[in-house]
């Protein structure tokens, strides 16, 4: 039904009728309500999955169906049944072209035409019923009880096991190619091609009927939500990771006080908070997005929708979960650890964490658009984010003290702006306790106020607060635009 929503611009009853017709043709009525499944979840058998993949194409009533090795991975019984099914579908007026390896002998009678290739050149191409007679005329009869398909494919294969066998089989194959080019079957084929090329032809317009974009995007979001609801581990991962990170921060820092030692605690806490949400967002993308990405590549190749539509719906699906996870994280962490008690400060803390979390997801998605292997993409993303945290946050080393090149580079990194927002949000107006007279020697009142720390390490942070807020939103939107561009290029390359 999802495919019908993507490709058909019809009413619901017409879509359901067409889908049910395809299900009946494919013999899938008994598994209509069964999940397809994957390597982790039990579902349809291999043959049933292959029929479903064919049904996805049949929903749009194609005139030509191209199949690349549809029987690969199936047992002989399932492979025979699949080819038998394709034969029945061809009876409905669909032209079916397929490649196949090691077909059973009983499949021979199911094919109307057969083409045998060797090194990209024709050994035979013509009616199946004429193939045995053609090779008989060349002195290569099919042995009794042998599979004609296997036998003649072997004749067209070059044996590379030794130099002598290679030369012998190469000469034999070249002779077969030459004989076919001079055969009556090839001449008849050439006449038919010439007739169709030179004769009167009607203008044929190829098109795919599509639903409107809003309907397609709505259905895509529904599918994403349905898949997530079926995968409890993915749902738990999206909602719990940030909270567990915040709980660990609480267990480690407990309550941050207002004495001079709390300055170091705050610096360490703000550094972890600057890095944690973006890493968790990236981990979510690396773990959950590859399946969606591969599905997008298949469906965009079939013309169901564009990359920007897919990414817009995916982000629209992700944002509510990111907002909820960030609310849980920020509410617990902010108040449990005892940061600035002003509510407006909490709101800024929440939005800053949310934008970092979304930025991490977008970085992960973008890297998966450039790198196919999730493990390698994870390593590259982790390296990029780690460099950004260390270089531009100013919480490990003051940005102002960096070499000029690194100082300028920090302006391209999101943590420069996020960390400045965090420190201003926490330190601006903060009053700290100083040691009383008679306190142990060595205790000093270095930072009686948080503003002194800001003046020393983030001299322009208060003045740039509004700018940094705007940059955080712009940075996230720019990452989204970059991801769309990456996938637009990627899909063009793949197709």
């Amino acid at each position: 039904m999802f495919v019908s929503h993507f490709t058909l611009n019809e009413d619901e009853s017409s879509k359901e009728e067409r889908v049910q017709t395809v299900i009946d043709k494919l013999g899938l009525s008994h598994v209509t309500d069964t999940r397809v499944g994957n390597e982790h979840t039990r579902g349809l058998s291999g043959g049933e999955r292959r029929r479903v993949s064919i049904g996805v194409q049949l929903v749009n009533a194609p005139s030509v169906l191209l199949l690349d090795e549809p029987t690969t991975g199936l047992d002989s019984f399932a492979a025979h049944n699949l080819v038998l099914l394709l034969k029945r579908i061809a009876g409905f007026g669909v032209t079916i072209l397929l490649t196949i390896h090691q077909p059973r002998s009983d499949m021979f009678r199911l094919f109307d035409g057969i083409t045998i290739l060797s090194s990209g050149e024709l050994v035979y191409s013509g009616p199946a019923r004429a193939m045995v007679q053609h090779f008989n005329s060349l002195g290569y009869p099919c042995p009794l009880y042998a599979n004609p398909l296997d036998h003649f494919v072997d004749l067209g294969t070059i044996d590379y096991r030794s130099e002598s066998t290679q030369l012998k089989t190469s000469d034999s194959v070249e002779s077969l190619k030459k004989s076919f080019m001079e055969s009556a079957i090839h001449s008849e084929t050439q006449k038919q091609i010439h007739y169709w090329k030179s004769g009167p032809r009607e203008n044929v317009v190829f098109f795919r009927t599509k639903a409107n974009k809003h309907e397609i995007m709505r259905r895509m979001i529904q599918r994403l939500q349905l898949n997530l609801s079926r995968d409890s581990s993915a749902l738990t991962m999206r909602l719990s990771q940030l909270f567990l990170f915040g709980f660990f921060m609480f267990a480690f820092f407990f309550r941050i006080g207002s004495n001079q030692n709390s300055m170091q605690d705050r610096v360490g806490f703000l550094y972890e908070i600057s890095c944690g949400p973006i890493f968790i967002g990236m981990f979510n993308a690396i773990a959950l997005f590859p399946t969606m990405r591969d599905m997008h590549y298949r469906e965009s190749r079939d013309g169901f929708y564009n990359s920007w539509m897919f990414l817009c719906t995916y982000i629209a699906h992700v944002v509510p979960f990111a907002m909820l996870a960030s609310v849980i994280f920020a509410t617990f962490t902010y108040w449990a650890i005892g940061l600035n008690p002003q509510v407006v400060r909490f709101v800024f803390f929440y939005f800053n964490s949310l934008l970092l979390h979304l930025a991490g997801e977008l970085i992960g998605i973008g890297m998966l658009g450039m790198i196919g292997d999730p493990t390698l993409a994870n390593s590259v993303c982790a390296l990029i984010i780690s460099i950004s945290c260390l270089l531009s946050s100013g919480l490990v080393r003051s940005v102002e003290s960096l070499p000029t090149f690194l100082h300028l580079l920090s302006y391209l990194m999101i943590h420069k702006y996020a960390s400045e927002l965090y420190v201003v949000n926490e330190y601006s107006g903060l009053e700290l306790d100083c040691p009383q007279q008679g306190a142990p020697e060595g205790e000093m009142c270095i930072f009686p106020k948080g503003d002194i720390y800001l003046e020393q390490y983030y001299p322009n942070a208060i003045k740039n607060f509004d700018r940094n807020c705007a940059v955080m939103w712009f940075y996230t939107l720019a990452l989204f635009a970059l991801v769309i561009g990456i996938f637009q290029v990627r899909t063009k390359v793949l197709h």
Side-chain angles (χ1 to χ4, degrees):
M1 281 302 297
F2 276 111
V3 175
S4 69
H5 293 315
F6 292 156
T7 60
L8 303 179
N9 193 13
E10 301 175 356
D11 57 63
E12 287 298 311
S13 60
S14 298
K15 291 177 183 178
E16 292 176 3
E17 182 179 353
R18 183 181 291 199
V19 169
Q20 189 58 50
T21 300
V22 172
I23 290 173
D24 294 339
K25 284 182 182 179
L26 297 173
L28 294 170
S29 300
H30 63 292
V31 291
T32 302
D33 298 321
T34 304
R35 294 174 61 179
V36 174
N38 51 38
E39 63 272 16
H40 305 297
T41 306
R42 185 176 180 180
L44 302 180
S45 66
E48 289 167 343
R49 289 186 192 179
R50 205 61 56 87
R51 280 183 276 164
V52 169
S53 66
I54 294 172
V56 166
Q57 304 300 324
L58 292 179
V59 166
N60 207 41
S63 57
V64 179
L65 189 61
L66 305 177
L67 302 172
D68 185 19
E69 300 184 23
T71 60
T72 300
L74 302 181
D75 59 63
S76 58
F77 179 76
H80 178 266
N81 283 342
L82 181 61
V83 176
L84 190 62
L85 169 67
L86 294 173
K87 178 70 173 179
R88 290 202 302 267
I89 293 173
F92 292 100
V94 180
T95 300
I96 298 177
L97 286 80
L98 61 90
T99 60
I100 191 169
H101 289 294
Q102 296 180 320
R104 280 171 40 169
S105 58
D106 54 0
M107 291 183 189
F108 180 67
R109 61 183 177 83
L110 299 176
F111 296 116
D112 298 314
I114 294 175
T115 296
I116 299 176
L117 296 173
S118 179
S119 301
E121 297 184 64
L122 291 173
V123 174
Y124 177 82
S125 182
R129 64 181 181 275
M131 184 174 72
V132 175
Q133 182 180 353
H134 169 76
F135 283 100
N136 280 340
S137 67
L138 300 178
Y140 297 99
C142 182
L144 188 63
Y145 305 124
N147 181 351
L149 293 172
D150 279 342
H151 178 67
F152 296 132
V153 167
D154 289 343
L155 286 177
T157 303
I158 299 175
D159 188 348
Y160 291 97
R161 287 180 297 177
S162 66
E163 186 176 350
S164 60
T165 58
Q166 180 180 346
L167 290 173
K168 181 180 178 181
T169 54
S170 295
D171 292 340
S172 175
V173 170
E174 288 300 320
S175 175
L176 290 173
K177 293 177 183 177
K178 182 179 179 181
S179 298
F180 173 72
M181 298 300 288
E182 297 172 351
S183 68
I185 296 174
H186 182 263
S187 298
E188 181 61 27
T189 303
Q190 290 293 96
K191 289 178 182 178
Q192 293 179 8
I193 294 173
H194 178 73
Y195 170 77
W196 288 110
K197 289 177 67 176
S198 60
R201 293 175 295 170
E202 295 181 0
N203 291 327
V204 179
V205 179
F206 295 93
F207 67 94
R208 178 183 293 278
T209 304
K210 287 187 177 181
N212 64 71
K213 291 181 174 60
H214 298 295
E215 175 67 10
I216 292 174
M217 295 176 74
R218 185 173 71 87
R219 295 293 182 178
M220 289 170 67
I221 290 177
Q222 287 180 350
R223 181 173 64 176
L224 288 168
Q225 292 172 341
L226 179 62
N227 288 339
L228 188 62
S229 67
R230 289 173 172 175
D231 190 349
S232 57
S233 61
L235 183 61
T236 303
M237 180 180 178
R238 281 214 172 275
L239 295 179
S240 64
Q241 282 196 108
L242 262 180
F243 170 74
L244 293 175
F245 171 72
F247 182 81
F248 176 76
M249 289 294 99
F250 170 70
F252 185 79
F253 289 99
F254 196 56
R255 297 283 294 182
I256 293 180
S258 58
N259 57 25
Q260 291 297 301
N261 292 333
S262 70
M263 285 297 299
Q264 182 177 351
D265 296 341
R266 281 181 167 82
V267 170
F269 173 75
L270 293 178
Y271 176 76
E272 293 298 328
I273 290 299
S274 296
C275 299
I278 195 169
F279 265 112
I280 292 171
M282 183 269 290
F283 291 147
N284 284 340
I286 297 295
L288 304 177
F289 185 71
T291 303
M292 299 293 104
R293 176 197 63 183
D294 297 341
M295 184 185 300
H296 159 63
Y297 287 155
R298 292 194 301 270
E299 293 178 342
S300 64
R301 180 185 59 208
D302 291 335
F304 290 173
Y305 48 78
N306 298 320
S307 293
W308 71 265
M309 296 172 65
F310 163 70
L311 291 167
C312 285
T313 53
Y314 185 80
I315 294 301
H317 161 74
V318 164
V319 165
F321 291 100
M323 292 177 68
L324 180 57
S326 297
V327 163
I328 297 171
F329 160 74
T331 302
F332 173 79
T333 306
Y334 194 89
W335 301 112
I337 289 182
L339 301 181
N340 197 303
Q342 296 181 28
V343 175
V344 68
R345 303 284 182 104
F346 164 75
V347 173
F348 278 114
F349 179 89
Y350 161 70
F351 277 108
N352 209 27
S353 301
L354 171 63
L355 292 175
L356 280 173
H357 189 55
L358 289 174
E361 183 115 16
L362 290 168
I363 290 171
I365 292 171
M367 196 58 62
L368 287 168
M370 293 186 289
I371 301 174
D373 181 13
T375 303
L376 180 58
N378 180 48
S379 300
V380 175
C381 285
L383 178 62
I384 292 172
I385 294 173
S386 297
I387 292 174
S388 177
C389 288
L390 287 170
L391 188 63
S392 63
S393 69
L395 295 165
V396 177
R397 178 179 176 179
S398 172
V399 175
E400 303 297 327
S401 67
L402 291 173
T404 303
F405 168 72
L406 296 180
H407 187 189
L408 295 175
L409 185 63
S410 69
Y411 283 92
L412 299 177
M413 300 178 181
I414 193 171
H415 285 95
K416 173 174 176 58
Y417 310 100
S419 60
E420 287 190 11
L421 289 175
Y422 274 134
V423 296
V424 170
N425 200 55
E426 177 59 20
Y427 286 117
S428 179
L430 177 67
E431 298 285 343
L432 296 171
D433 299 333
C434 287
Q436 301 293 326
Q437 289 186 351
E441 186 176 353
E443 290 191 13
M444 301 177 60
C445 187
I446 301 175
F447 297 108
K449 294 182 179 181
D451 293 291
I452 297 176
Y453 174 83
L454 291 176
E455 290 173 6
Q456 185 171 342
Y457 294 102
Y458 296 89
N460 298 314
I462 296 178
K463 181 180 68 175
N464 295 332
F465 187 83
D466 292 339
R467 183 208 67 179
N468 290 339
C469 288
V471 169
M472 285 296 294
W473 287 98
F474 174 79
Y475 205 105
T476 307
L477 293 174
L479 281 175
F480 182 49
L482 178 62
V483 168
I484 290 177
I486 290 171
F487 272 83
Q488 292 279 36
V489 173
R490 179 71 171 177
T491 51
K492 286 182 179 179
V493 171
L494 290 175
H495 301 167

